[in-house]
Amino acid sequence: MRTIRQKGQKKTDEHPRRGIYILPSLFTTAGLFAGFFAIVQAMNGNFEYAPLAVFIAMIMDTLDGRVARWTRTESDFGAEFDSLADVVSFGLAPALVMYEWALSGLGKLGWLAAFIYAACGALRLARFNTQLASQDKRYFQGLPIPAAAAVVMAFVWVLYSYGVPGKEISILALLVTVLAGVLMVSNIRYRSFKDLNLKGRVPFVTVLAVPLLFVLVFLDPPQVLFMFFLAYAASGPAAAAWKGLRRTPERQPEHSKKL
């Protein structure tokens, strides 16, 4: 039944927009292309360009959402397209790159490990999409799939840059792949940093830290990126362990009183 809008009442959107907007979709398509390019490069044995392509996909994934919000072109289509592109760029691409570089020598165990990572990535995205309206914006539940992809790809990139053959460290590569997948579907909380106020004033020292960060990344991109994302992946379990240790002393007096 069509409702009558009174004079002076603003028209509001009762449902999300369902149109297709070209600008954010271009960035999403670029990220999807980068993920597919990484798979092709891994099949050709170019393990220097494959991880780099996944990191480019991460940049495109960051930009498409921001562009959609800035230009007010958010839509259901864009959200679904972005999730499907993430499955390819951050789920399938890292799994296949790691398999081609290190896990293929393990036979059935190798491709099963790669599949576990890809499946966990898809499950992580499905859970994120279904809990988007109810979850705390300050935290992610489980390791975000771009961060997991960054850990796996930076691992390949840094060791390949130092001339380490993947087949010689296949067991370590398997552990990294499976652990990244398990962290994605875990209930461990990770900071989202969405509560940071980037529009407010900051000290001058903070401004100096920005070019310093760029300098560090460009000095040795594989090593710096691997250390950064490895620290972020470890921050979740470390924070959970610290929180558990802080609760333990508080419960001890209660037990002592009963004794």
Side-chain angles (χ1 to χ4, degrees), residues 55 154 157-158 162 212-231:
F55 279 102
W157 197 6
V158 69
Y162 283 109
L212 179 61
L213 179 63
F214 280 101
V215 170
L216 289 175
V217 172
F218 280 99
L219 281 177
D220 192 348
Q223 186 173 355
V224 173
L225 291 173
F226 178 66
M227 293 177 63
F228 175 80
F229 285 103
L230 182 63

Side-chain angles (χ1 to χ4, degrees), residues 11-257:
K11 184 178 181 180
T12 57
D13 294 333
E14 297 180 357
H15 302 283
R17 299 177 181 179
R18 298 183 179 180
I20 300 175
Y21 297 95
I22 186 65
L23 187 57
S25 296
L26 287 176
F27 287 94
T28 306
T29 304
L32 178 61
F33 174 81
F36 184 79
F37 182 79
I39 296 174
V40 173
Q41 293 305 306
M43 293 171 62
N44 294 331
N46 297 326
F47 297 107
E48 182 178 3
Y49 298 113
L52 180 60
V54 174
F55 279 102
I56 293 175
M58 288 181 60
I59 297 174
M60 295 297 105
D61 182 61
T62 303
L63 291 176
D64 62 0
R66 294 186 179 275
V67 169
R69 288 189 292 270
W70 289 341
T71 58
R72 297 182 180 180
T73 53
E74 296 173 288
S75 64
D76 289 336
F77 174 84
E80 296 298 330
F81 185 29
D82 181 67
S83 293
L84 292 174
D86 288 350
V87 171
V88 176
S89 299
F90 308 131
L92 289 177
L96 292 174
V97 171
M98 181 64 88
Y99 176 78
E100 290 289 338
W101 182 65
L103 300 179
S104 60
L106 296 176
K108 189 178 296 185
L109 189 64
W111 66 258
L112 283 175
F115 172 75
I116 288 173
Y117 173 87
C120 288
L123 291 172
R124 171 65 177 80
L125 284 170
R127 184 176 66 179
F128 175 79
N129 291 337
T130 55
Q131 298 179 353
L132 188 60
S134 59
Q135 67 179 358
D136 189 350
K137 302 298 182 183
R138 298 174 300 172
Y139 297 96
F140 293 121
Q141 185 179 1
L143 183 65
I145 187 171
V151 171
V152 174
M153 289 297 90
F155 176 80
V156 174
W157 197 6
V158 69
L159 291 180
Y160 182 80
S161 64
Y162 283 109
V164 179
K167 300 297 189 297
E168 293 184 3
I169 56 165
S170 55
I171 299 298
L172 179 60
L174 182 145
L175 293 175
V176 171
T177 305
V178 174
L179 183 59
V182 171
L183 286 176
M184 281 192 287
V185 295
S186 69
N187 291 324
I188 297 175
R189 299 203 306 175
Y190 285 87
R191 281 291 304 275
S192 65
F193 300 104
K194 293 182 179 180
D195 55 337
L196 293 179
N197 185 14
L198 301 178
K199 297 180 180 180
R201 294 184 178 182
V202 294
F204 184 70
V205 178
T206 307
V207 180
L208 292 177
V210 175
L212 179 61
L213 179 63
F214 280 101
V215 170
L216 289 175
V217 172
F218 280 99
L219 281 177
D220 192 348
Q223 186 173 355
V224 173
L225 291 173
F226 178 66
M227 293 177 63
F228 175 80
F229 285 103
L230 182 63
Y232 180 73
S235 66
W242 175 250
K243 189 175 181 180
L245 290 175
R246 289 182 62 185
R247 288 180 177 178
T248 303
E250 296 176 358
R251 296 177 181 176
Q252 287 180 354
E254 298 178 1
H255 293 291
S256 61
K257 290 180 180 180

